Amino acid sequence: MAKMSPSGFTVDLAASKYLSPVLLCGIAALMKHHQERGAPATLDPKCRDLRLRTYLSEIAFPVGLYGSIESQPNREALLATASKPYVPMVSFPADLVPNMEREVLLQSVENELVAKCLLDGPVVMAMKYILSEIIGNINYHAGRGTGFMIVQHSINNHYLDIAIADTGRGLRATYLASGKHAPVTDLEALDLALDGRSAKAETHRGFGIRTSRKLTVKGLGGWFLIWSGSAMLVDNASGAQRIELVDGSSFPGCYFAIRIPNTAPASFNMSDYYE
């Protein structure tokens, strides 16, 4: 990932044989970020590996499903992946404007996941909470642009990978726009988010990212990554690492990558993590 490139770029997948859904979500968001700002960002369609080319088509990369779940292309895309351990990528307006079409599309894809991945009850509840909080957070902080979500189940390794990204303004600009906090760096803005400091006007808000992180890592023993601007957090059972990128690398909006097991530990109780 990189900052805005005025000259644009082309994603060349010709020699690729496998691409993580987490990586693909970030690439799709970065391409869309450039396109929304008038810079060219294109995909080289000549992927030589037939299996990968089929997979990219089935998940609707890089555009994703969008609009009404009742549209023929969206219904056909979900039907095409009905027997697969993944659902197509979804794209949606990243703003606070009420949008029932967006909500129905996201809910339909979530229901498809629950039905096909055979997750246990506590993990379903945790996944629904995490998706709701992070997508809601993106709709608030992005301020503009497009959100992306992709989820894939690893049957052999018994975990679920979730990636959510947006093309918006990122954490630091959101805090500055709110007038409540004035982080000087992206890392300061990330620390505010991880500490539950809200940019919203209401009190008792701001815990969505923090609670989702605790649910993922402490509760389920999974992995949690958040990246905004030049600041990143990677957290798992081995410990948390805050990273400030100093080589010029930056993600323009906000990017989440989450891995959770499809079975919760026997001791897991969601109420232990609510704030």
Side-chain angles (χ1 to χ4, degrees), residues 233-244:
L233 169 88
V234 182
D235 194 5
N236 57 39
S238 300
Q241 184 178 12
R242 293 161 60 257
I243 302 167
E244 186 169 28

Side-chain angles (χ1 to χ4, degrees), residues 120-134 160 162 194 207-225 233 235-237 257-265 267-275:
D120 73 5
V123 172
V124 170
M125 292 174 60
M127 182 191 73
K128 285 178 174 289
Y129 177 90
I130 291 167
L131 291 179
S132 174
E133 288 295 327
I134 290 181
L160 201 66
I162 301 168
L194 296 174
F207 298 111
I209 292 176
R210 187 163 80 170
T211 301
S212 296
R213 175 191 176 189
K214 288 169 60 180
L215 266 176
T216 299
V217 180
K218 304 298 183 185
L220 296 172
W223 290 63
F224 186 92
L225 177 148
L233 169 88
D235 194 5
N236 57 39
I258 297 163
R259 174 171 289 182
I260 58 176
N262 57 6
T263 302
S267 60
F268 176 72
N269 187 333
M270 277 192 62
S271 63
D272 294 339
Y273 303 94
Y274 288 137
E275 299 188 52

Side-chain angles (χ1 to χ4, degrees), residues 9 65 71 76 88-89 94 96 100 105 122 140 176 188 236 252-253:
F9 62 90
L65 307 190
S71 72
E76 289 177 352
M89 183 166 62
L96 281 174
M100 183 57 67
L105 176 63
Y140 180 84
L176 293 175
E188 287 183 26
N236 57 39

Side-chain angles (χ1 to χ4, degrees), residues 94-132:
D95 56 46
L96 281 174
V97 177
N99 187 325
M100 183 57 67
E101 194 174 68
R102 172 180 63 195
E103 303 309 318
V104 172
L105 176 63
L106 289 168
Q107 186 62 59
S108 297
V109 171
E110 182 181 299
N111 292 342
E112 189 79 9
L113 276 170
V114 172
K116 71 166 60 177
C117 294
L118 303 178
L119 309 174
D120 73 5
V123 172
V124 170
M125 292 174 60
M127 182 191 73
K128 285 178 174 289
Y129 177 90
I130 291 167
L131 291 179
S132 174

Side-chain angles (χ1 to χ4, degrees), residues 170-221:
L171 290 174
R172 182 168 175 264
T174 299
Y175 278 117
L176 293 175
S178 75
K180 293 182 66 177
H181 305 283
V184 176
T185 67
D186 290 324
L187 192 60
E188 287 183 26
L190 178 60
D191 286 341
L192 288 170
L194 296 174
D195 196 39
R197 305 288 188 90
S198 179
K200 301 179 178 70
E202 305 94 325
T203 57
H204 306 297
R205 300 297 298 271
F207 298 111
I209 292 176
R210 187 163 80 170
T211 301
S212 296
R213 175 191 176 189
K214 288 169 60 180
L215 266 176
T216 299
V217 180
K218 304 298 183 185
L220 296 172

Side-chain angles (χ1 to χ4, degrees), residues 7 11 16 20 30 41 47 50 53 63 88-89 126 132-133 161 164 179 189 201-202 224 228 232 252 261:
S7 60
V11 179
S16 300
S20 162
L30 193 60
C47 177
L50 177 59
R53 192 162 68 242
V63 177
M89 183 166 62
S132 174
E133 288 295 327
D161 275 334
I164 302 172
E202 305 94 325
F224 186 92
S228 183
M232 180 186 297

Side-chain angles (χ1 to χ4, degrees), residues 65-77 101 105:
L65 307 190
Y66 61 91
S68 171
I69 187 63
E70 296 301 328
S71 72
Q72 184 173 348
N74 287 351
R75 292 171 66 88
E76 289 177 352
E101 194 174 68
L105 176 63

